[in-house]
Every structure is written in structure tokens, then in C-alpha cells.
Amino acid sequence: MDQDLNQTSRTSSSPRKRRLRRSRSVPRGGDSVSNDQNIKINAAADINGDEVVGSAVPLFTKIDLEVADINGDGVVGAAEFMVYRLKQMNKIDQEDIIKITKEFERLDVDESGTLTDSDIDLAQTNSHIQSSVIPRFTKIDLEAADLEGEGVVGVAEFLVYRLKEMDKIDQEDIIGIMEEFEKLDLDESGTLTTSDIVLAHQNT
């Protein structure tokens, strides 16, 4: 499997060491949460009326921050930001998002909202899960998909990984969006917060 994905966050143009914060796991209740996540991602298309034309990049506002927060923990990680921007760039569509999110939920056996080694072990012993997840998602994939380096894979990271496998996005897309994310992440916490957005706007 392609392991370039998780290398991006470690080899970006910024030399600083990123201090990544673990996102809070959000218990899920079946398809209702999946639909909510899909709605939030879909709303990212043009929430503030900014159209992405050519290489133009719309401002990232507090409204964008709220919509991009897929797992509802109050902050936006690198993978969530990437999914949000890819949606704005028309690189991905809702059908892809729904399909990949359902695949993520089948693999998330303990329903913690993240994929871990334990989930992969349990999934590999369940023939129904294995037959419904194609291509297979292994521990090697888990490590490669861990964009934020936390040892677990959230739904946004899983989306980015699968989209890259599907050739919907390429490494150039990932690098460009990661560079934008790191410019906005002024406190170098590995997540975007309201404070980051306020400071970023003051510096423009």
C-alpha cells in the first residue's frame, strides 16, 4: 500500500515540530452519525459563498471551522481540514464520502469513532466485515493512514487515505493543503481553533 500519506505531515515545508493533540472520540449510534458527518462534509462546498476558482483559496473563517469539524470535538485536525478543502475544490463528491464513511464504520468494531490495531484484529476475524471492505484495510494501512501521528485513524484520515488509493487526489493536493493548514495553525497544536482563526485574520 502507498505509505506516502502519513509522511506528508512529517516532511512538510515547515521545519517546526508539530505538537498534535488527540481528538476526543465520539460514540456513534449507527447510520444517524454517519449521515450527520456526511451532511457536515457536504456543507463545506460553499458555506460562506466563496467560490474556488483556479488556484484561488477562500479565507478560512469561524463558520468554516464549525462546518469542517466532522467529529464535533470543537477543533479541526489536519485530515478534517483536508476533506473540507478537497470538497471545496470539487476533488471529491458526496457519493465517495458516503461509501468510504460506511466502510470506516464497519471497520470501527468498538464504535469509538477511531480505528485502532484492536479494530483491525477484530475485523480480520469477521468474514462479513472482510468481504464488505475492499480493498482490505490492514495494520500497514492503519499506520500509513495515520496522517496526524496519533496512533489511531479517524474518519477524516480514513477518507483521505481511501481517496488517495482511488486516485481521486494526489500527493500534490495533500502537500498544498497541509501547507495551508500549518500556516493557519499558529499555536502549532496540530489542530485549528477559534483562536488560530482570529490570529490568522489579524496577520492578513
Side-chain angles (χ1 to χ4, degrees):
M1 291 289 179
D2 188 346
Q3 296 194 33
D4 288 341
L5 189 60
N6 69 331
Q7 296 297 322
T8 305
S9 61
R10 298 170 175 82
T11 58
S12 66
S13 59
S14 173
R16 69 187 181 223
K17 182 177 180 180
R18 299 179 60 211
R19 299 186 299 279
L20 294 167
R21 184 192 314 165
R22 180 178 293 275
S23 297
R24 185 172 70 245
S25 296
V26 180
R28 302 193 333 275
D31 288 341
S32 60
V33 174
S34 173
N35 290 338
D36 181 60
Q37 289 172 337
N38 291 333
I39 290 168
K40 294 192 78 172
I41 299 169
N42 194 38
D46 192 21
I47 188 69
N48 57 1
D50 292 320
E51 294 183 3
V52 180
V53 180
S55 60
V57 177
L59 287 174
F60 193 79
T61 68
K62 291 180 183 179
I63 296 175
D64 297 302
L65 186 76
E66 181 179 352
V67 177
D69 181 16
I70 296 172
N71 65 1
D73 63 357
V75 297
V76 171
E80 290 174 309
F81 182 79
M82 193 169 298
V83 171
Y84 184 84
R85 281 305 198 212
L86 288 168
K87 183 70 179 175
Q88 286 185 313
M89 295 161 63
N90 294 320
K91 287 276 188 175
I92 56 178
D93 57 42
Q94 192 66 6
E95 185 177 340
D96 293 328
I97 291 169
I98 292 171
K99 177 183 176 182
I100 296 170
T101 301
K102 286 182 177 179
E103 183 182 2
F104 174 89
E105 292 188 344
R106 285 193 289 269
L107 286 169
D108 183 19
V109 180
D110 62 4
E111 300 187 356
S112 65
T114 58
L115 299 183
T116 64
D117 284 344
S118 297
D119 287 311
I120 304 307
D121 287 337
L122 289 170
Q124 288 177 344
T125 63
N126 187 313
S127 59
H128 175 69
I129 294 175
Q130 285 301 308
S131 63
S132 64
V133 178
I134 300 173
R136 291 183 64 186
F137 192 80
T138 67
K139 289 184 179 179
I140 294 174
D141 297 302
L142 186 75
E143 182 179 355
D146 184 13
L147 181 66
E148 297 174 6
E150 297 177 317
V152 298
V153 171
V155 63
E157 291 171 300
F158 187 77
L159 276 163
V160 172
Y161 186 75
R162 282 305 205 208
L163 288 165
K164 192 166 188 294
E165 282 189 319
M166 295 162 63
D167 292 325
K168 294 279 185 175
I169 60 175
D170 56 32
Q171 196 69 7
E172 186 176 339
D173 295 322
I174 294 170
I175 291 171
I177 296 172
M178 281 298 299
E179 287 176 349
E180 182 189 358
F181 175 85
E182 293 192 348
K183 288 175 183 176
L184 288 169
D185 182 21
L186 295 178
D187 63 3
E188 302 183 15
S189 65
T191 58
L192 300 183
T193 64
T194 301
S195 298
D196 287 314
I197 304 309
V198 170
L199 289 171
H201 287 184
Q202 289 175 350
N203 291 337
T204 56

